[in-house]
Amino acid sequence: TNGNQTITNIGGETFYDLTINNGSGDVLLAASTNVTVTNALALTAGAFVPNSSTLTLNGTVTRTSGTLTTTGASLVFGANAAALTLPNSVFTSSPSPLVNLTVNRLGGISLGNQGITASGTLALTNGIVTTGANTISVTAAGTVSRTSGWVNGNLNKFVTGSSTKTF
């Protein structure tokens, strides 16, 4: 039997705390089910799979043995004055593939032991992203926008063609 569970709420769902604890499968987000976790995301067992939806994390992230599978998803580190350090091995794959990555967290974020690749937009809205030995990559088709904040560490932006690029 398939132990997967699906969260479905077109338009979105907000949780104060969300614990992913499904040892026999994954917890999936249905299409157009954007989820905001305002306080704490706990990855205990199984994978949390946002699919093509947006996951907004405004609080802490802890990990026992669960993971976050971000292929095709967008990830927002939302408004919070506290710094966030992502747990080691939080993503199912490394570098973790995303469509869009938005950092809007005054306290900033630090990557654990994994990098992130964005194929859409890397939006630096507020806060510093500290990569350590890891890398945030933006594919050739992706874009970078910045209001405030920056990447403290390794940032790769792939470019193609012979046109002039300004940095």
Side-chain angles (χ1 to χ4, degrees):
T1 61
N2 186 340
N4 290 345
Q5 298 171 320
T6 302
I7 299 172
T8 303
N9 187 359
I10 303 303
E13 187 71 55
T14 299
F15 298 96
Y16 182 75
D17 290 329
L18 178 61
T19 299
I20 304 301
N21 188 11
N22 186 358
S24 64
D26 298 334
V27 177
L28 314 166
L29 294 184
S32 301
T33 302
N34 299 321
V35 165
T36 299
V37 181
T38 59
N39 187 55
L41 172 64
L43 300 168
T44 304
F48 186 27
V49 185
N51 288 311
S52 61
S53 297
T54 298
L55 174 61
T56 301
L57 301 172
N58 292 337
T60 61
V61 178
T62 58
R63 175 183 181 272
T64 305
S65 67
T67 58
L68 185 57
T69 303
T70 57
T71 304
S74 294
L75 185 58
V76 176
F77 292 101
N80 193 319
L84 170 66
T85 298
L86 293 175
N88 287 336
S89 304
V90 69
F91 298 114
T92 305
S93 62
S94 181
S96 181
L98 296 167
V99 175
N100 301 309
L101 173 62
T102 301
V103 178
N104 185 23
R105 188 179 182 106
L106 179 63
I109 67 165
S110 295
L111 301 182
N113 63 351
Q114 296 173 295
I116 295 174
T117 297
S119 61
T121 300
L122 168 61
L124 300 170
T125 306
N126 198 356
I128 299 168
V129 180
T130 302
T131 66
N134 302 296
T135 301
I136 292 185
S137 299
V138 180
T139 64
T143 60
V144 178
S145 68
R146 180 185 171 272
T147 305
S148 179
W150 61 88
V151 174
N152 179 16
N154 304 307
L155 171 64
N156 288 338
K157 170 61 176 110
F158 296 93
V159 294
T160 59
S162 60
S163 61
T164 301
K165 305 295 181 195
T166 302
F167 296 93

